[in-house]
Amino acid sequence: MRVPYITAYDGEDIPYQLALAPHAEATDGQRLSYVNAVPTDWMFGVLWHRHGLSRAGNPEWKLVNTSRQRRCMRRNLCQVCGQSAADEDGRVWWVMAEPPGRSALGEPFTNAPPTCRTCIPMAQRLCPRLREGCQVFTVRGVEPYGVVAEIFRPVGGKLLIRDTTTEMPLDAFRDLEYSLARQLIVKLEHLRPAILTATGETR
Ligand SMILES: [Zn+2]
């Protein structure tokens, strides 16, 4: 069975140690960090879970590789094959088991990366959730909107987990300072329902 591009492998784990580090712009003057942090550990104002890209070991079918998920979202890549999910006209394909979430302003958002037109029929066959029913969309573009993250709470110099997986918008500054991001959430611009026929044609 084909392993989707975003699936995590058990040989991709990178051991790390979280720490609190002084940071002048942070609300409390400190933020979540690594013991040996480098600037690329942060993106969109939040610390990211370190996850390798080797695809070594065995697939962890239910887990998403953080680095590949973020890459799919930033570059409109298909979560199944890792190639572009955009059409010739630039619209990007999505298949979803449930309708996307909505921001306070009603804008649709999701943490599920696109699926290219070629891979949609296979995704529908292989994924039990999509088999039960799904919607196919195209979007004109995406914009980073939030993260799925763990939030920590500093207690007496130690770090305790406050929430395991929470969706947070990128303007939740204070919570982001204590968060470890695992997936990028994007806003879907000009979302339009689409129909994919058995022959792969679109209407
Ligand atoms: Zn694909």
Side-chain angles (χ1 to χ4, degrees), residues 78 80-83 115-116 118-119:
C78 170
V80 179
C81 69
Q83 303 299 310
T115 302
C116 76
T118 311
C119 289

Side-chain angles (χ1 to χ4, degrees), residues 124-150:
Q124 286 170 324
R125 272 200 309 277
L126 296 181
C127 173
R129 287 183 65 220
L130 293 179
R131 260 202 315 263
E132 283 169 20
C134 62
Q135 283 173 293
V136 178
F137 298 102
T138 62
V139 309
R140 195 182 64 186
V142 302
E143 199 184 305
Y145 169 72
V147 288
V148 178
E150 289 165 276

